[in-house]
Amino acid sequence: MESSATPASGDRSGLERSSLSRLPDRALSWGLTSLAILILALIVFFFIRLIGESGSTFSTFGISFVFGNDWDVSRNIFHGAPLVVGTLITSGVALLIGVPVAVATALYLTELCPRRMRAPLSGLVDLLAAVPSVVYGLWGVFFLAPKLLPAEKWFANTFSFIPWIGGGGSSATPTNYFIASLVLAIMILPIVSAISREVLATVPAENKEAALALGATRWEMIRMAVLPYSRSGIVGGAMLGLGRALGETIAIVLLIGDAPVIGHHLFSQGYSLAAVIANEFGEAQGIHRSALFAAGLVLFVLTLLVNIIARAYVARGSRGMRVGASADLAMAAAESRS
Amino acid sequence: MSALSLPEVSPRRRRTDRIMRGVMLAATLLALVPLVLVIFYLLKEGLGSINGAFFTQDPSGSFFGNVGGVRSAILGSVEIVLLATVIAVPIGIGVALYLTEYGTDSRFATVVRYFVDVMTGVPSIVFGLFIYISLVLSHVGGNFTAWKGSVALALLMLPIIIRSAEVVLLLVPASLREAALALGAPRWRIIRKVVLPTAAPGLVTGSLLAVARGMGETAPLLFTAAGASGLTFSLSQQMNSLPLQIYNDVLSPRSAIVSQAWAAGLTLVAMVLILNLIARAISRRSRVA
Amino acid sequence: MTKEIHVRTSRIGAVAAALVVALAIAACGSSSSSSSAPAGGSSSSGSSSSAAAGGGSVTATVDGAGSTLAAPIYQQWGSTLKSKGLTINFNPVGSGAGQTDLESATVGFAGSDPSLKPVDVKAMKGSVLQFPVAAGGITVSYNLPGVKSGLKLDGPTVASIFSGKIKTWNDPAIKALNPGISLPSTAITVVHRSDSSGTTEGFTTYLSDVSSTWKSSIGLGKDVKWPVGTGAAENSGVAAAVKQTAGAVGYVEQAYALENGFTYAAIKNSAGTSVSPTITNTSDAFLGVKVPADLGISTINSPNSGAYPIVSQTFLDAYQDPCKDGGLSSSTAKGLFEFLTYAFGAGQSTLGSGGNKLPYAPLPASLAAEDQTQLKTMTCNGAPLS
């Protein structure tokens, strides 16, 4: 080995280093690993604390804490079905409204938008995330809710034949499940849109061009080449949005009406797990406080479940996507030829 | 040999295409409607309250006369979020480094990644309560103090920083890393001289987004930093913050104070907007090709 | 390219370092400066204090939390006392939360509308003193197009309205009390608080007093299960909901209703007189009320013939020995003492009706004197504070 081939660090080959010089590496690895362990420990500790504090609730009420329908603070009865139902309804409706709009927006911005407008428009959509949740909540209460009430009443009366979604027009209140879900949808829109945009941008140009070359219209190209490819990524984005929706506190407190009942209609008042914690924790004592921790625990578990499902779906989708896309293209080609 | 004949696009398909394109454009405009409405409302309700005193005076708490301003809220927010950033950013980037450098195949890393995901969905108030029961009730270093609010916010910001940092660190070209390795550089040097500098703009962007989120949160501060009217720089006392000031002021019987609440909301949006613009400018200017 | 990266990194690093240094300075410096006073104060975790000799003003920061009804009072007093070096931080989280905070000794004093019940007293860390501070009326505010003023109601009718037994404004019961007014057939929309509130407790205490059916079926408390109606968060939420809905009726704090020009009903009191919620009528609620040894009075449904019947007193609770039980430093305890001295002395003259006064009922002189006497029993680790 002549000198021209030796590395700059010395006359030893680069693969052999003194154990002393390995020290910083080992320290770094140890340091970073301990940070990761710290995070894990924090969450586990958090979880254990939640379980510990909510223990007495579950021993007193058992499973009816989650499924029973009677949240009565003054009588120390804590059956939290209204809370769970309210959380699921608002998050579900928020997803239903927010995700299609967000994905459609992302599609427009990546596929159809004139190049010059792309950056400013994307920036504007992202700006939705800059508004703090307390401002959304207050704006919802003082501006949006009263403005939408007549329209909500009209809708409820016109479509009263649809169970739950319609009907109840006369008892519609300004704060209800719908307005809370609507504002939630606005809040999750920027997140889902931003992630969808990232995902849509990774679709290989060949897939798109192949579809176009086969004579597909713009929309058909999106339907056949872009969407199937990005489906799992978009679902991932939707799950992030769902996580945000499940956990939103202040805006829900102000907009859902805080009524500890399961509302009979879309435009009735209800409650949610995060909202009840915010409202009642300050002065909760004893079993009441434990019940609020139990609500937090249920929320935690709910988030965990949602994440498990999302991850499983994403994992499954990414494996089959390439096969699916080409099959779709082939089918489309056959269709257009006939 | 017949050439591949491209079939005519049927009117039905053309119509569908046009409709769907219209739908997507409509969706984009629809998404922007709330933004316009919110900004407009804030301006309408709050612009009248914005003057010099708004920024240079503390809320007077007085029922009559001068309502004062929101100076202590603005500075309080800045200080609390600053401390939260100092806590969350190093830890967050550290964990992300762990996940990318050492944890691509390990099961432990997968578990950590999972739990970080879960953390993103935890309601902001639960972080505040967690700090309340562990730190406030035990009277560690005071009762309601600003630094405990910072810790609660840091917990909120951590998952965002970890997630975004992980994405950015993974984007560092493997070729750069491998070149450094081939030259015999130890891992820590690779991280310090190659990975971090390359990823720096993206890391800054992610951190700024987390900071923007932290600035807008009320719930974690309710049970930790509580509130104060006067200006204080000491982190071991209760401290005012913009979201809290907004929430309390809106409930006031005095309409001048309510108007000030909206003006404070406008200020908060402006501050977050500026942060977002800075993040965007940094990421755009330094895209490592 | 590498040079660019180096410069960028070092610039980012420099900025970060500067921020950390600034933060460290802020954290270590324990000065709490008010907007006018010069530097040099003491934080509640107790470093050096500057207590002027001879009972003059003390420089301290006192933290309190509790009643939203009383919040404007404490905030106004805090604003006045700031020039004397005393900083009062009051967190309007609600009576119950304030009590809980005092029980965990995370605040120096609590503002509570309801008096302390035996179970609350037991939960405290030590002996607690409760001081009546003021009283505020609870109005029955309504939004009825065509009926701008002069609506009269009585206790049982209000209970029936809020329990849903009376459903329209032209119900015979309401008509009977208002012979001269033509009432529309609009449906009544009840608006109540959705959050836990001392105001709710005051209102439901009154309803339980005047209606035995209310007492047995719904009861009283900061948070009850309302049989009918819409919930709204906070006073302002109820006020907004009432304003937006024709035919709505809700219970709104007097200060809020007066400040914002609400329409409210006159209520028949225990003596049979129809009384409007003016400050004078609210103050009359103090007269003739029994004062127990722990000063835990109740002004609800006052026996006085001129009194407005739905008046909620509000208390200030603090430990008898705030240093030993409440964990306050001696300087903070002195600050608390100064604050309370002001509250039952000069502070009372800031309350009342008319121009520059807060729209609350001040204490009658005898009650203020009782507060002063009780205040003298406050000690710090055994040593009297006065």
Side-chain angles (χ1 to χ4, degrees), chain B residues 60 63-64 139 197 231 237 253, chain C residues 5 33 43 76 79 104 260 358:
Chain B
S60 66
F63 208 73
F64 319 97
H139 304 290
L231 183 65
Q237 289 189 356
Chain C
I5 294 178
S33 50
S43 68
Q76 171 71 45
S79 157
S104 20
N260 292 286
L358 294 158

Side-chain angles (χ1 to χ4, degrees), chain B residues 211-231:
Chain B
V211 168
R213 173 82 197 270
M215 288 222 70
E217 285 291 335
T218 323
L221 299 175
L222 284 175
F223 296 104
T224 49
S229 51
L231 183 65

Side-chain angles (χ1 to χ4, degrees), chain A residues 173-259:
Chain A
T173 50
T175 55
N176 54 47
Y177 287 124
F178 176 71
I179 194 82
S181 311
L182 184 61
V183 173
L184 261 192
I186 298 174
M187 290 168 82
I188 69 174
L189 202 143
I191 305 172
V192 180
S193 180
I195 294 183
S196 301
R197 261 181 281 140
E198 292 298 318
V199 171
L200 291 171
T202 61
V203 175
E206 307 96 62
N207 294 34
K208 296 196 277 191
E209 283 159 15
L212 287 174
L214 288 170
T217 61
R218 219 54 198 282
W219 164 243
E220 286 165 353
M221 179 266 284
I222 292 175
R223 191 165 50 93
M224 295 188 299
V226 174
L227 282 180
Y229 191 93
S230 354
R231 186 173 35 190
S232 47
I234 293 180
V235 168
M239 286 300 132
L240 208 60
L242 179 60
R244 175 82 202 265
L246 284 173
E248 180 51 46
T249 315
I250 282 275
I252 298 281
V253 161
L254 293 169
L255 291 167
I256 202 175
D258 301 341

Side-chain angles (χ1 to χ4, degrees), chain C residues 281-308:
Chain C
N281 296 341
T282 308
S283 308
D284 283 349
F286 275 120
L287 308 174
V289 154
K290 233 192 339 221
V291 182
D294 66 348
L295 302 188
I297 60 169
S298 169
T299 48
I300 303 275
N301 221 7
S302 165
N304 184 288
S305 57
Y308 180 69

Side-chain angles (χ1 to χ4, degrees), chain A residues 137-156:
Chain A
L138 293 172
W139 168 76
V141 169
F142 289 113
F143 174 79
L144 197 63
K147 279 254 151 56
L148 285 184
L149 190 59
E152 291 172 12
K153 284 193 149 124
W154 172 87
F155 184 90

Side-chain angles (χ1 to χ4, degrees), chain A residues 5-38:
Chain A
T6 53
S9 55
D11 52 358
R12 290 210 210 140
S13 115
L15 295 171
E16 286 175 42
R17 298 209 310 269
S18 72
S19 47
L20 197 61
S21 75
R22 278 201 209 282
L23 207 53
D25 251 5
R26 215 167 283 162
L28 180 70
S29 147
W30 186 87
L32 292 182
T33 315
S34 47
L35 276 183
I37 295 178
L38 172 72

Side-chain angles (χ1 to χ4, degrees), chain C residues 135-183:
Chain C
I138 302 174
T139 66
V140 177
S141 294
Y142 62 91
N143 174 358
L144 197 55
V147 186
K148 282 295 169 227
S149 64
L151 189 69
K152 293 188 176 63
L153 296 170
D154 68 3
T157 316
V158 175
S160 299
I161 292 177
F162 277 87
S163 61
K165 289 204 194 68
I166 295 183
K167 297 195 208 303
T168 54
W169 283 102
N170 61 353
D171 187 281
I174 306 183
K175 265 203 177 135
L177 296 164
N178 295 277
I181 306 182
S182 82
L183 296 160

